[in-house]
Amino acid sequence: MQTINRAQLFRASCLSLLVTSLSFGIRAGILGDLGVKFQLNASQLGTITATAFWGFPLAVVIGGIIVDIIGMKRLLLLAFLFHLVGILLTVFATGYWTLFISTLTIGIANGTVEAACNPLVTSLYTENKTTKLSHFHLWFPGGIVIGTLIVTLFKMIGLNWQVQVGVMLIPTVIYGYLFSKLDFPVTERVASGVSTAGMYKAVLSPLFIFMFICMFGTAITELFTGQWIDVLLKNVTDNALLLLTLETGVMVLGRGFAKPILKLFSPQVVILMSTIVAALGLYMLSTLHGDIIFLAAIIFGMGVCFFWPTMLGFVSENIPKSGALGINLMGGAGMFAVSVWTVIMGKYYDKIVAAKMAGLPAGTDPAKALEQAKSLAGPDVLHFTLMIPLGLIVAFTGLVLYMRTQKKTAPLTAAVV
């Protein structure tokens, strides 16, 4: 007879997400070093970074389709193997293509973790989905904070980027061991007896399609900015990486206090308020200079902190028949959008730099010209990205008004056997 220990499963899930977020935090911190080491331009760095976001939606969508068939345990053990291989390939990378393949492999691992853990959390805590998803997802910004601090500390003591990446092996091995020893429940949809046809019908509903499209924007606003902040603002402030640490630290605190906030406000109201604050923070990041930019990072972190878990929680609570597939399609949509935007913005950044350098007076020192061009290009990219949360404010205002006309969705109940 199976004994489901939901506390241990939840802790192991958080540890697996920690590895996922460490890959983001450490990669953000070493992106500049990789560019110098392997002589890569911003467009190439953008493509390498984007591979993590390509692998994620691929894995999360396929995982969402097969998780009810093979079970969450097998899926998480696959995630462990992908993480192990991806980390080792990164440590021993020799250039652009090895970094491309290793980052893609880690992206697949990250997507597989979310494909299994999001439905696992909602299956373990059916009575408190959005709050527990927020507590689970606090380990994403939490891992980014830890990752950027590791990069900063290791750089101070002279350890190279390979050692920084190798640190991820420790939590990877631990979560792989824990999941191999624990029993897992079936997903909430399977337990409640909702058919596969019913699940596919739910993900074709107008409300789901609307949220699916909006997930593009919330993910780009949150993840593109965080992943590229060191590159985009390093010539605006000497502490660009500290901005990322500050922003994600605010996100950890916000998600930790999700329960009282979600008691006061419905998920859709939280999403709307978050979008307004995120737009303000992104505007400040793209326009301010000096120490006040740290205030901008705090405001931006407050804005994006509830995006990911609340979007997933909204779908799980209001379209429960969509099951694991619904949650994972949302995650896949977000990461796919970030992958596309990252490549587009990498090319846009290089284009702006070239244009700014061409406009400088003849005889300007090339090194100084490049630094001056970069200092202008980064804020321009962020300012261009600002149009996304501004559009989302309109969309989510409509969502709030629409949900006021709807009856509260009844949760799924376990099927009688």
Side-chain angles (χ1 to χ4, degrees):
M1 182 179 177
Q2 281 191 332
T3 303
I4 306 300
N5 188 323
R6 72 177 189 172
Q8 286 190 14
L9 281 170
F10 184 74
R11 284 193 287 267
S13 298
C14 293
L15 193 58
S16 67
L17 189 63
L18 174 64
V19 177
T20 293
S21 57
L22 280 174
S23 72
F24 279 81
I26 290 176
R27 186 168 56 248
I30 66 173
L31 208 56
D33 292 340
L34 294 178
V36 173
K37 172 70 177 177
F38 299 112
Q39 298 181 340
L40 306 172
N41 59 32
S43 180
Q44 290 174 310
L45 289 175
T47 302
I48 290 170
T49 302
T51 60
F53 296 103
W54 296 340
F56 186 104
L58 175 70
V60 83
V61 172
I62 293 174
I65 295 170
I66 67 173
V67 65
D68 291 327
I69 301 170
I70 70 171
M72 292 178 278
K73 181 169 184 170
R74 289 190 181 93
L75 206 56
L76 282 164
L77 291 178
L78 279 174
F80 161 71
L81 292 175
F82 279 121
H83 266 142
L84 198 62
V85 171
I87 292 167
L88 290 173
L89 283 174
T90 304
V91 169
F92 296 104
T94 57
Y96 174 80
W97 283 110
T98 47
L99 284 172
F100 182 97
I101 294 169
S102 63
T103 308
L104 177 64
T105 305
I106 290 176
I108 292 171
N110 294 347
T112 308
V113 164
E114 292 241 5
C117 286
N118 284 321
L120 176 59
V121 171
T122 58
S123 298
L124 293 173
Y125 299 94
T126 56
E127 76 289 352
N128 207 11
K129 294 179 187 177
T130 305
T131 296
K132 293 308 291 185
L133 281 170
S134 294
H135 291 166
F136 167 59
H137 280 280
L138 75 80
W139 289 98
F140 191 84
I144 293 176
V145 172
I146 295 170
T148 52
L149 290 175
I150 286 173
V151 170
T152 302
L153 176 62
F154 282 18
K155 281 182 177 179
M156 286 174 60
I157 61 179
L159 296 178
N160 61 28
W161 61 268
Q162 288 97 333
V163 177
Q164 296 164 30
V165 173
V167 167
M168 291 190 290
L169 289 170
I170 298 171
T172 298
V173 172
I174 295 172
Y175 93 71
Y177 171 78
L178 289 175
F179 279 137
S180 70
K181 297 296 182 182
L182 292 168
D183 291 325
F184 281 68
V186 295
T187 62
E188 183 187 16
R189 178 188 71 82
V190 172
S192 61
V194 175
S195 67
T196 302
M199 176 180 70
Y200 281 103
K201 184 179 178 181
V203 299
L204 292 173
S205 66
L207 181 59
F208 182 86
I209 293 171
F210 172 82
M211 295 301 293
F212 182 84
I213 295 171
C214 287
M215 190 71 179
F216 293 169
T218 58
I220 288 171
T221 304
E222 175 187 345
L223 296 178
F224 167 75
T225 305
Q227 185 75 154
W228 268 73
I229 201 167
D230 186 43
V231 173
L232 296 178
L233 294 180
K234 68 180 180 181
N235 293 294
V236 176
T237 173
D238 294 332
N239 294 296
L241 196 57
L242 183 59
L243 288 176
L244 175 60
T245 308
L246 190 60
E247 171 214 327
T248 48
V250 171
M251 292 173 68
V252 172
L253 290 174
R255 290 178 182 179
F257 289 99
K259 187 173 183 178
I261 292 171
L262 287 165
K263 278 189 175 182
L264 287 173
F265 304 103
S266 64
Q268 59 269 21
V269 172
V270 171
I271 295 170
L272 174 59
M273 292 191 300
S274 296
T275 308
I276 294 169
V277 177
L280 174 62
L282 192 55
Y283 173 76
M284 293 173 68
L285 283 172
S286 67
T287 56
L288 298 179
H289 295 79
D291 291 342
I292 198 170
I293 202 168
F294 292 100
L295 175 62
I298 291 172
I299 292 173
F300 181 73
M302 291 169 60
V304 299
C305 106
F306 292 112
F307 270 168
W308 195 277
T310 311
M311 292 289 285
L312 300 187
F314 177 91
V315 167
S316 186
E317 289 185 9
N318 292 281
I319 319 170
K321 291 183 179 180
S322 64
L325 179 62
I327 295 177
N328 289 330
L329 284 175
M330 290 289 288
M335 285 297 185
F336 175 75
V338 175
S339 72
V340 174
W341 193 257
T342 299
V343 173
I344 292 171
M345 287 299 101
K347 293 178 179 178
Y348 183 58
Y349 178 87
D350 285 337
K351 182 179 178 180
I352 295 173
V353 169
K356 299 291 186 185
M357 289 185 69
L360 292 174
T364 305
D365 180 77
K368 288 183 178 179
L370 180 61
E371 289 301 307
Q372 186 176 346
K374 285 182 176 180
S375 70
L376 297 171
D380 279 1
V381 169
L382 291 179
H383 198 71
F384 188 76
T385 304
L386 177 62
M387 68 179 183
I388 294 176
L390 290 177
L392 286 174
I393 291 172
V394 178
F396 289 136
T397 299
L399 177 66
V400 169
L401 296 174
Y402 169 76
M403 292 305 294
R404 286 180 180 174
T405 69
Q406 304 300 301
K407 293 181 180 179
K408 186 173 176 63
T409 305
L412 296 179
T413 55
V416 179
V417 181

